[in-house]
Amino acid sequence: GQNIDQPTEMTATEGAIVQINCTYQTSGFNGLFWYQQHAGEAPTFLSYNVLDGLEEKGRFSSFLSRSKGYSYLLLKELQMKDSASYLCAVRDNYGQNFVFGPGTRLSVLP
Amino acid sequence: ETGVTQSPTHLIKTRGQQVTLRCSSQSGHNTVSWYQQALGQGPQFIFQYYREEENGRGNFPPRFSGLQFPNYSSELNVNALELDDSALYLCASSFEGFSTVEQYFGPGTRLTVT
């Protein structure tokens, strides 16, 4: 089966660092993606991991461990505009089928 | 370079009716995927079209069907609408069917079934 788990909600303070975890069990694996989605808007691409390790992209970093079925998204120097839902998605081996997690709603407080 | 567009933005239908949603892919992209996103949940994969052929399908009944046209735009058709079909419908375009890293989402169509 296909299953992706993320925390439902998280709260952090402006300027802080937050880590959003994602665990997955899928029938195939061809990459893990993180998307940001503001309320009422479409998801936008943040990061992609296909090999184990850390990918850094400005204030955002994403880590993958394929053996553990685990990823995290790290957001540094949090800003109010980072308040959004963060979606973890795994692309399986069958074409471009993306399996999305339920999303983590992050609230950044002043 | 134009982004992914969808129409209409919002739609209200009655149970039992049929609906067609449209998506224009980003310039240069030949693959379109459709997703259903219920409120407070992650998107659920409906199906994907690559070069006018269905290239994968999620766990949705046959009353969800689609088309892709030579210009790579796409339609999602839903027959015999049910109340649970109320959701945000997203399309995403990408280049190539098997090697693409990133897909670009459109703004979505909010469908309400009453």
Side-chain angles (χ1 to χ4, degrees), chain A residues 42-101:
Chain A
T44 55
F45 171 80
L46 289 178
S47 70
Y48 165 71
N49 295 72
V50 67
L51 299 175
D52 290 354
L54 188 69
E55 293 286 337
E56 297 187 80
K57 200 174 182 182
R59 294 190 299 116
F60 296 81
S61 303
S62 56
F63 172 83
L64 174 67
S65 170
R66 289 173 295 170
S67 62
K68 295 181 180 178
Y70 168 71
S71 173
Y72 67 73
L73 178 70
L74 194 71
L75 292 77
K76 302 175 187 175
E77 301 169 15
L78 281 172
Q79 302 174 10
M80 299 296 288
K81 67 178 182 179
D82 296 330
S83 293
S85 284
Y86 290 86
L87 301 164
C88 172
V90 172
R91 184 172 63 188
D92 71 13
N93 286 328
Y94 301 101
Q96 291 276 22
N97 182 10
F98 283 77
V99 181
F100 279 84

Side-chain angles (χ1 to χ4, degrees), chain B residues 20-72:
Chain B
T20 297
L21 310 181
R22 295 178 175 84
C23 171
S24 291
S25 59
Q26 183 162 314
S27 177
H29 286 180
N30 58 9
T31 302
V32 174
S33 301
W34 285 92
Y35 295 86
Q36 179 195 66
Q37 187 175 25
L39 201 61
Q41 298 182 22
Q44 300 293 311
F45 176 73
I46 302 174
F47 45 55
Q48 178 189 83
Y49 279 85
Y50 170 60
R51 294 185 176 178
E52 303 178 57
E53 300 276 336
E54 189 177 287
N55 186 42
R57 188 178 183 93
N59 190 26
F60 280 81
R63 60 189 184 84
F64 285 78
S65 63
L67 281 173
Q68 187 179 33
F69 300 99
N71 67 355
Y72 303 127

